[in-house]
Amino acid sequence: MALSTSITLATFVASLILLLTPISCSSPLVIRNVVDDEPRNSSIPQDDIDLLELHLNLEYLGAELFLHAATGNGLDTFSPALASGGPRPLGAKKAKLEPFFRDLIEQLAWQNVGHLRAIMKTVEGFPRPLLDLRAESFAKLMDKAFGRPLSPPFDPYASGLNFLIASYMLPYVCLTGYVGTNQRLQGSAFKQLVAGLLAVKSGQDAVIRGLLYERAFQKVEPYEITVAEFTDRISDLRNKLGHRGIKDEGLVVPQYQGAEGKIRGNVLAGNQYSVGFARSPREILRIMYGGGNEHSAGGFFPHGANGRIARSYMR
């Protein structure tokens, strides 16, 4: 497939996201209901609260990873109140990013911080869970994806490309979780909030995939493995951990899996109708714990995720 040398796909997607992003980071957060004339039920279903709170875990994960990678600091520096006294992340640090990548990752970081504020403005929330963001944690997942130890162990903080590949692990899982959550919500206000969160999370995933797609056939040093193969292996692993068939696809797929069965390039993942996949809370936890079992903590959440849904599986 041809990779553009002029106006790149990643640049186009990034520009689109900028158009959808508030101009000033200092503007007050206002969640507006586009259906203000619709009567609201003052009683919020507990299931809605539980589903929305589950995603706080993933937003904490994304915010801390991206903030540390871009700036060297996390929520404890920039917004301690959002951490709510939760334990500091393990091993998070500043990545070796080129200026363009650092700017991009910092944008994603602040977007995730905004998501935390939006969710915690709507539900009570909980303290930040313990997050394992050590390079060793990513290396372990990457070894599992390839079915063998990579040598040297994969280090997400070693380069801009490595960090993009590591970032490929996160927004898409959250995206599929939001799709699944929106199908289960009862309250219209909650549905609207999740739709808004899903819109930006989809953009984050598109930007990351677009940048990686530009480099699909570039070999990642020192492994002599292409970017496309890395994404394929990560997606295959997430499918296996989720135990619910194919809901994840890499950047290059067999033609029959591409859009309308016409193309192998797969910059955006979707089903046979190019509609986004949905994942349940169980599937999300199975993937984030890294072992395919929602009852056994691990992976990025060594003590398990927080919230009623996650804790109910740990009993």
Side-chain angles (χ1 to χ4, degrees):
M1 67 195 70
L3 300 179
S4 172
T5 58
S6 54
I7 301 178
T8 67
L9 176 59
T11 303
F12 170 76
V13 176
S15 300
L16 180 60
I17 298 306
L18 288 174
L19 289 174
L20 298 174
T21 304
I23 295 174
S24 172
C25 293
S26 62
S27 300
L29 175 66
V30 179
I31 303 175
R32 293 186 175 87
N33 189 347
V34 295
V35 285
D36 286 324
D37 58 340
E38 179 180 327
R40 297 188 189 183
N41 190 337
S42 58
S43 62
I44 301 174
Q46 184 63 48
D47 286 349
D48 282 13
I49 296 173
D50 294 344
L51 286 166
L52 189 57
E53 285 190 335
L54 177 69
H55 289 281
L56 269 178
N57 294 286
L58 301 184
E59 297 291 357
Y60 271 127
L61 177 63
E64 291 289 10
L65 177 64
F66 294 149
L67 277 175
H68 277 91
T71 72
N73 293 293
L75 290 175
D76 291 303
T77 297
F78 296 114
S79 187
L82 283 179
S84 301
R88 289 177 177 270
L90 302 174
K93 62 182 181 180
K94 192 171 185 178
K96 296 178 181 178
L97 302 175
E98 299 89 332
F100 172 78
F101 287 143
R102 179 171 294 111
D103 176 71
L104 171 67
I105 296 303
E106 187 172 354
Q107 290 183 52
L108 302 186
W110 292 119
Q111 290 165 7
N112 281 31
V113 171
H115 292 176
L116 287 172
R117 294 190 193 281
I119 294 174
M120 296 178 79
K121 185 175 180 178
T122 308
V123 297
E124 183 177 352
F126 44 71
R128 174 186 56 202
L130 179 63
L131 303 170
D132 188 352
L133 299 178
R134 296 172 301 155
E136 293 83 354
S137 180
F138 285 90
K140 184 177 179 180
L141 281 174
M142 206 64 76
D143 289 348
K144 184 175 289 189
F146 278 90
R148 60 181 174 84
L150 294 183
S151 181
F154 182 82
D155 183 354
Y157 304 106
S159 70
L161 183 57
N162 278 25
F163 193 79
L164 274 182
I165 292 171
S167 300
Y168 178 87
M169 296 182 179
L170 300 184
Y172 182 74
V173 176
C174 194
L175 180 165
T176 55
Y178 279 137
V179 174
T181 291
N182 219 25
Q183 298 172 0
R184 294 171 170 81
L185 293 174
Q186 302 173 53
S188 61
F190 274 46
K191 286 182 178 181
Q192 182 196 347
L193 174 57
V194 169
L197 294 168
L198 173 59
V200 174
K201 198 62 65 177
S202 299
Q204 292 181 347
D205 180 63
V207 169
I208 291 169
R209 289 181 71 105
L211 288 167
L212 289 172
Y213 186 71
E214 279 191 294
R215 299 158 174 81
F217 300 112
Q218 177 180 331
K219 291 186 177 180
V220 181
E221 299 298 336
Y223 307 107
E224 294 300 304
I225 299 170
T226 66
V227 169
E229 186 173 354
F230 266 95
T231 65
D232 289 344
R233 296 299 185 107
I234 294 168
S235 289
D236 287 346
L237 175 63
R238 292 191 297 214
N239 284 328
K240 291 174 184 175
L241 294 176
H243 300 304
R244 284 294 182 270
I246 296 177
K247 295 188 177 182
D248 217 305
E249 298 170 335
L251 297 174
V252 180
V253 296
Q255 184 170 317
Y256 72 89
Q257 279 186 239
E260 291 296 297
K262 302 293 186 183
I263 194 165
R264 297 189 64 215
N266 196 47
V267 71
L268 297 179
N271 66 12
Q272 67 267 38
Y273 305 110
S274 294
V275 173
F277 294 102
R279 282 190 168 113
S280 68
R282 288 189 180 198
E283 292 173 77
I284 297 297
L285 294 172
R286 290 168 186 165
I287 294 168
M288 289 292 99
Y289 290 170
N293 184 349
E294 67 272 29
H295 303 286
S296 180
F300 297 119
F301 296 90
H303 291 173
N306 283 343
R308 283 165 54 100
I309 291 177
R311 302 320 294 180
S312 71
Y313 293 128
M314 300 298 293
R315 294 172 185 168

